[in-house]
């Protein structure tokens, strides 16, 4: 299997078919992306059984509207 | 110095002191491993009762034991094949205990959707470890894929402390599926072309 030719394709490929060590800049980027997903996605979007609310993204969207 | 490397270094300061204390007291590493799983069961119990913050605190303590057992074994000169085997088996038990705690909670809340998400996350987490163990009986090394046990445990703690367990479970599920796939593909390629392994 070869890596995709386009940059977004390569980024996704490397994120999912992970070969990097811990404490590398690629690892940092992945950690930040995961934390952003966990903390920024509104619990209501995921139908979280124990948390409620729209979170920072929901607040931002309500401001824009 | 990377951001995650810095966090690792900061965490090592208190851990070094705990390791030194265990070495001074000559606590057998297998006992540390066992104490770790018992504390993890307590964390699972708290998760099952939706006491997430308390569960997170207990997980921190449990995983200190989990982290230091190998280091204490090295410093005491107690490294053994059985110790490695015992540690791996107990780690799986700790993993499953936490997931079972959440499955109990979500079934109690009548949320079959999250019972399924948690069950699948548990299944693929176990598959991640199994795939590597089985692969390394055939090839030299199969350390590919992002979602390994330390990542899972830290995510569990983050989910517990910030009450974002749903997001954490989705991340564990998706990345564990890719990690298992990654390991299967890697092993297939290594076995198909053994020269690659020799050259690497």
């Amino acid at each position: 299997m070869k890596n995709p030719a386009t940059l977004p394709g390569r980024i996704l490929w490397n994120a999912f078919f992970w070969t990097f060590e811990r404490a590398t800049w690629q690892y940092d980027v992945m950690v930040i992306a995961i934390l952003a997903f966990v903390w920024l996605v509104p619990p209501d979007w995921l139908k979280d059984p124990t948390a409620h609310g729209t979170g920072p993204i929901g607040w931002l969207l309500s401001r824009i509207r | 110095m990377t951001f995650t490397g810095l966090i690792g270094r900061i965490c090592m300061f208190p851990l070094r002191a705990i390791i030194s204390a265990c070495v001074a007291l000559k606590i057998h590493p297998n006992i540390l491993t066992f104490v770790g799983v018992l504390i993890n069961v307590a964390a699972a119990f708290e998760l099952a009762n939706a006491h997430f913050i308390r569960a997170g605190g207990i997980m921190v303590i449990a995983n200190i034991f989990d982290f230091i057992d190998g280091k204490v074994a090295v410093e005491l000169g107690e490294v053994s094949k059985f110790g490695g085997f015992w540690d791996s088996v107990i780690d799986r038990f700790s993993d499953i205990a936490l997931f079972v705690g959440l499955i109990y909670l979500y079934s109690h809340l009548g949320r079959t959707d999250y019972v399924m998400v948690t069950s699948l996350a548990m299944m693929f987490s176990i598959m991640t470890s199994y795939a590597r163990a089985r692969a390394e009986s055939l090839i030299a090394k199969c350390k590919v894929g992002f979602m390994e046990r330390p990542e899972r445990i830290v995510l569990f703690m983050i989910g517990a402390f910030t009450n974002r367990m749903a997001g954490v479970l989705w991340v564990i599920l998706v990345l564990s599926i890719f990690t298992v796939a990654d390991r299967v593909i890697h092993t297939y390629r290594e076995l198909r072309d053994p020269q690659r392994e020799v050259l690497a």
Side-chain angles (χ1 to χ4, degrees), chain B residues 45-83:
Chain B
F45 188 77
E46 295 298 340
L47 284 177
N49 288 305
H51 299 146
F52 280 3
I53 304 276
R54 212 180 297 166
I58 296 171
M59 273 188 254
V60 170
I61 299 166
N63 288 290
I64 287 173
F65 280 87
D66 216 24
F67 179 79
I68 64 169
D69 55 4
K71 310 267 187 289
V72 171
V74 171
E75 295 204 10
L76 283 176
E78 296 269 10
V79 178
S80 67
K81 283 185 179 173
F82 178 76

Side-chain angles (χ1 to χ4, degrees), chain A residues 2-4 9 13 15-18 20 24-25 27-28 31-32 36 39 42-43 47 50-51 56 59:
Chain A
K2 287 178 182 168
N3 281 6
W13 180 273
F16 287 120
F17 294 101
W18 188 263
F20 304 104
T24 55
W25 71 265
Y27 189 84
D28 277 7
V31 167
I32 290 165
W39 284 333
K47 296 187 171 60
T50 56
W59 178 82

Side-chain angles (χ1 to χ4, degrees), chain B residues 20-196:
Chain B
S20 302
C22 290
V23 170
L25 292 168
K26 291 193 168 49
I27 301 174
H28 199 279
N30 290 354
I31 292 172
L32 292 174
T33 311
F34 189 65
V35 172
V37 76
L38 292 181
I39 302 173
N40 248 325
V41 170
F45 188 77
E46 295 298 340
L47 284 177
N49 288 305
H51 299 146
F52 280 3
I53 304 276
R54 212 180 297 166
I58 296 171
M59 273 188 254
V60 170
I61 299 166
N63 288 290
I64 287 173
F65 280 87
D66 216 24
F67 179 79
I68 64 169
D69 55 4
K71 310 267 187 289
V72 171
V74 171
E75 295 204 10
L76 283 176
E78 296 269 10
V79 178
S80 67
K81 283 185 179 173
F82 178 76
F85 166 78
W86 173 248
D87 187 40
S88 299
V89 172
I90 292 294
D91 281 356
R92 299 295 80 71
F93 194 85
S94 295
D95 278 350
I96 294 171
L98 296 177
F99 281 113
V100 169
L102 285 173
I103 290 170
Y104 178 89
L105 170 67
Y106 294 142
S107 58
H108 186 70
L109 295 172
R111 293 296 301 272
T112 44
D113 51 351
Y114 270 91
V115 169
M116 277 309 293
V117 170
T118 313
S119 303
L120 289 170
M122 177 172 75
M123 187 174 95
F124 279 99
S125 298
I126 302 304
M127 284 298 296
T128 298
S129 310
Y130 180 75
R132 182 171 170 193
R134 191 72 184 87
E136 289 184 353
S137 72
L138 302 167
I139 60 174
K141 211 161 177 58
C142 186
K143 200 171 164 27
V144 293
F146 181 85
M147 192 51 70
E148 294 196 302
R149 188 159 190 267
E151 285 77 20
R152 239 178 1 247
I153 296 300
V154 171
L155 271 170
F156 259 121
M157 288 178 199
I158 289 168
F161 281 128
T162 63
N163 193 14
R164 288 290 182 272
M165 204 51 95
V168 160
L169 286 171
W170 278 109
V171 170
I172 291 175
L173 174 59
V174 172
L175 292 182
S176 295
I177 291 171
F178 276 99
T179 301
V180 173
D182 209 358
R183 289 178 177 184
V184 171
I185 293 165
H186 177 78
T187 306
Y188 173 75
R189 293 170 75 185
E190 292 293 318
L191 289 174
R192 193 184 54 179
D193 185 10
Q195 278 301 314
R196 279 167 47 86

